[in-house]
Amino acid sequence: MSPPRPELVGHFGMAASTHYLATATAMSVLERGGNAFDATAAAGFVLQVVEPHMNGPAGELPAVLWDAAGGSAHVLCGQGVAPAGASVAAFRELGLELVPGTGLLAATVPGSFGAWTLLVERWGTWELADVLDYAIGYCEAGYPALPPIVDTVALVAELFGTYWPTSAAAWLPDGTVPRPGQRLTNPGLGRTYRRILAEATQAGGTREARLAGARDIWYRGWVAEEIDKFCATTRWLDTSGELHGGLLTADDLAGWEPTVEPPTVFGYGRYQVLKTGLWGQGPVFGQQLALLEGLGLDAAGYGSPDYLHAVIESAKLAFADREAWYGDSAEPDTLERLLDPEYTRRRRELVGPTASLELRPGQLGDRQPRLPRLPGPADLAALARSLVAGVGEPTAGEQSAGAGEPVTRADGRVSGDTCHLDVVDRAGNMVSVTPSGGWLQSSPVLPELGFPLGTRAQMFWLEDGLPNSLRPGARPRTTLSPSLALRDGEPWMAFGTPGGDQQDQWSLHFFLAMVHGGLGMQAAIDAPALDSVHFPSSFYPRTAEPGQVRMEDRFPDEVFAEMGRRGHRIVRHEPWSLGKLSAVAREPHHLAAAANLRGSHGHAAGR
């Protein structure tokens, strides 16, 4: 098929994201002399305003970046940690088996502000006032309510009106759900940013000192104090069906800083893919590549049943390892052992001619894998009885907007989850970033600040001794997974997608479509998509669908038939429904960008 959108080509700079206003912001910054890092941060702050059901100021982000001046790649970690008061025992005392998917108990330290300001401080050139000017403008002058925002607010309107009045005041103007196209504002958030800028500017010093000063105001000043007071003095209904306050304190914020880390590098022929460490799910991308390298994808033929079967079965094995071995408390040598060629060879032998219905993590030397206890039928029945309208939904296939991070409904429609943004400039600087968390549907709005807290702690397990067990000061094993690829040792492409657990499947299919299918970026984004939900969800209520493969209804009928014959439990989705990829690239003689038709408002731009 010919792609419904062209792949954009230029020489000055390129941007692609899940929202056209963020893409336009990034290009505006580049046109005004900012670099890719300035542009990414400005667009990131805009995404918090114009996609509030996808991310917010109290959310988190990882970024993978290429610094052209230094000739080096870095991972910027803006994933906040669990509060000092958050432990398995503390949640057990509340009678909880899982961290709730909504409300204050699931809050971690808000990492995005720290990460955005450090990105500009260390690699950018602009003042924070200029970077924030775009977001403040949308807070005050307004932005159009796109249909997904309206749908999300409608799903939680009853919850807001009955239990979360501060959110009702923010998102139900005149007591009604906004209309598509209606101009929405967020004056509270605008005031927060203006006050931070005023105080940081008054402190004087260098550009870098003012950026660090703004970060201090957020984490060690009045913003942290407001968060502390809200968590300590209010209680809200969450997905447990009970009222709870929060554990996050000003001390938790004061003790946290964003970090810069070396990326994890995965080789695949002439390519290298750069991802986060085991505190995120990013290494599953590399584990899948390692498994597939010996499964003959070129011989199978791109898009054939043999090809798709190998990709799906490799995903099951890699994500099983994620469940057993990934997390901020993983042993230091875990990743080295997971990527050992002999370990990969033994795992590859498990890929048989038919679909596996088991969750099969591997053994690392004398260390036996241990899986968390998954919710059973009795747990889900109890959950269903405890739910109130808009708070949650007991089925894995169609989560309510109130239950953690909604990803894809049973009909294939994306009801909200995460954002993604890629930028490259003419100097060769490149950024891939996946901001998320702090969704409008996840937690009550702090009226003095204009935004809700995040709920990323729902990704921890309430069992001691697991790599992803809840413990004070640990990062939850995030699903956020931006990607940077090198080709022949040179920085080539930044790419990624929203989608929770599916991120490192959809982005892998995209990458393989270019490497094995010979497709260009836009054609690879537009190719029919599929994913597995065989393994446990990272989001409340942590359910799994063994053997289930979701496929867009654009694959040939003979492919559906053969995949079903091999034992895959196929669920057909609407033709353009899975994934929201975007990408930018540096080619030998030009720059390029591409964005997703799915979701309708993701766009690329450049010149």
Side-chain angles (χ1 to χ4, degrees):
M1 57 167 282
S2 60
R5 288 182 176 179
E7 182 172 311
L8 304 184
V9 173
H11 297 87
F12 175 78
M14 312 296 289
S17 81
T18 50
H19 197 292
Y20 63 91
L21 291 177
T23 301
T25 296
M27 286 307 303
S28 174
V29 173
L30 294 179
E31 295 285 0
R32 292 172 56 192
N35 65 17
F37 310 115
D38 302 314
T40 301
F45 281 117
V46 165
L47 282 170
Q48 293 175 355
V49 181
V50 302
E51 289 200 298
H53 60 309
M54 301 287 199
N55 75 144
E60 51 272 326
L61 64 93
V64 188
L65 62 94
W66 181 265
D67 171 18
S72 56
H74 306 274
V75 167
L76 173 60
C77 176
Q79 174 57 66
V81 300
S87 65
V88 172
F91 278 78
R92 294 294 192 193
E93 288 175 6
L94 295 172
L96 298 174
E97 299 290 325
L98 295 171
V99 177
T102 60
L104 300 185
L105 278 178
T108 56
V109 172
S112 64
F113 189 84
W116 288 131
T117 53
L118 184 61
L119 179 70
V120 178
E121 176 189 337
R122 181 161 173 177
W123 292 285
T125 63
W126 274 26
E127 293 280 354
L128 181 59
D130 297 319
V131 169
L132 276 172
D133 184 61
Y134 298 89
I136 292 172
Y138 287 119
C139 284
E140 296 174 346
Y143 61 93
L146 295 173
I149 299 176
V150 175
D151 291 346
T152 301
V153 174
L155 281 169
V156 289
E158 184 177 347
L159 168 69
F160 286 3
T162 306
Y163 297 103
W164 293 3
T166 60
S167 294
W171 299 108
L172 297 172
D174 303 320
T176 60
V177 174
R179 305 178 308 278
Q182 180 176 336
R183 186 177 292 268
L184 301 179
T185 61
N186 191 339
L189 177 58
R191 288 192 296 270
T192 293
Y193 284 152
R194 286 199 180 279
R195 181 177 170 185
I196 290 173
L197 289 174
E199 294 181 10
T201 301
Q202 288 172 2
T206 63
R207 183 189 74 91
E208 291 77 10
R210 287 186 287 276
L211 280 153
R215 198 159 55 250
D216 277 341
I217 292 167
W218 187 280
Y219 293 99
R220 286 162 281 279
W222 56 270
V223 175
E225 292 168 2
E226 286 292 341
I227 291 172
D228 183 305
K229 182 173 68 174
F230 192 76
C231 288
T233 61
T234 64
R235 299 171 71 237
W236 306 88
L237 186 72
D238 58 38
T239 47
S240 72
E242 302 292 334
L243 300 173
H244 293 115
L247 301 172
L248 198 59
T249 69
D251 286 343
D252 293 319
L253 274 76
W256 183 85
E257 287 282 355
T259 57
V260 178
E261 306 171 4
T264 305
V265 182
F266 304 95
Y268 191 71
R270 63 186 293 206
Y271 304 94
Q272 292 176 305
V273 180
L274 281 52
K275 304 290 286 187
T276 70
L278 288 177
W279 55 267
Q281 79 171 16
V284 296
F285 192 109
Q287 281 199 262
Q288 290 173 93
L289 288 179
L291 290 164
L292 290 167
E293 200 162 26
L295 290 177
L297 292 189
D298 284 329
Y302 171 72
S304 70
D306 286 342
Y307 174 101
L308 298 176
H309 176 77
V311 170
I312 290 295
E313 292 303 297
S314 295
K316 292 177 183 178
L317 293 170
F319 278 87
D321 277 344
R322 183 195 74 167
E323 288 308 302
W325 299 114
Y326 288 26
D328 209 23
S329 301
E331 295 291 335
D333 65 344
T334 297
L335 188 54
E336 179 184 356
R337 286 172 173 259
L338 288 171
L339 296 177
D340 180 81
E342 178 59 23
Y343 176 81
T344 299
R345 184 193 64 76
R346 294 196 305 268
R347 299 287 282 161
R348 191 184 294 125
E349 290 177 350
L350 297 177
V351 177
T354 59
S356 169
L357 300 181
E358 300 176 83
L359 192 64
R360 301 178 292 176
Q363 179 177 334
L364 299 183
D366 59 356
R367 302 207 307 257
Q368 295 290 335
R370 178 184 158 197
L371 292 170
R373 175 188 174 275
L374 302 179
D379 300 301
L380 295 178
L383 171 65
R385 290 192 297 271
S386 72
L387 297 175
V388 296
V391 178
E393 174 63 48
T395 63
E398 186 168 1
Q399 297 184 43
S400 155
E405 182 191 73
V407 178
T408 306
R409 299 183 186 182
D411 61 1
R413 290 182 294 138
V414 175
S415 57
D417 46 84
T418 296
C419 308
H420 187 77
L421 171 65
D422 304 294
V423 181
V424 61
D425 64 26
R426 59 183 169 180
N429 299 306
M430 191 179 298
V431 190
S432 175
V433 59
T434 310
S436 188
W439 310 290
L440 72 86
Q441 65 272 23
S442 66
S443 197
V445 167
L446 283 72
E448 298 302 319
L449 298 177
F451 58 81
L453 294 175
T455 54
R456 192 63 56 174
Q458 67 183 285
M459 293 185 160
F460 286 115
W461 290 106
L462 294 184
E463 297 178 46
D464 288 318
L466 296 167
N468 190 36
S469 295
L470 175 65
R471 65 173 174 85
R475 292 173 288 190
R477 189 204 68 207
T478 179
T479 55
L480 306 175
S481 196
S483 303
L484 191 73
L486 311 183
R487 185 176 58 194
D488 300 326
E490 296 295 324
W492 171 43
M493 183 169 64
F495 61 101
T497 178
D501 300 288
Q502 279 64 50
Q503 289 180 34
D504 282 299
Q505 296 185 73
W506 294 335
S507 59
L508 178 76
H509 300 323
F510 161 77
F511 177 79
L512 295 176
M514 297 185 71
V515 172
H516 291 285
L519 304 184
M521 277 198 311
Q522 189 64 56
I525 286 174
D526 294 333
L530 77 165
D531 62 66
S532 169
V533 289
H534 173 81
F535 43 84
S537 169
S538 296
F539 296 91
Y540 186 93
R542 314 302 294 266
T543 52
E545 300 290 342
Q548 186 178 118
V549 178
R550 308 185 307 180
M551 301 178 67
E552 288 183 340
D553 201 14
R554 292 188 288 137
F555 287 93
D557 287 341
E558 56 269 25
V559 171
F560 281 108
E562 178 60 18
M563 292 290 283
R565 190 191 67 77
R566 295 181 185 215
H568 298 283
R569 297 172 177 175
I570 304 300
V571 176
R572 291 196 182 211
H573 280 252
E574 292 180 357
W576 296 89
S577 58
L578 300 178
K580 290 196 295 183
L581 282 145
S582 63
V584 298
R586 291 182 66 214
E587 298 293 351
H589 304 295
H590 65 267
L591 305 176
N596 213 304
L597 178 69
R598 304 164 179 90
S600 75
H601 48 276
H603 278 272
R607 76 169 176 90

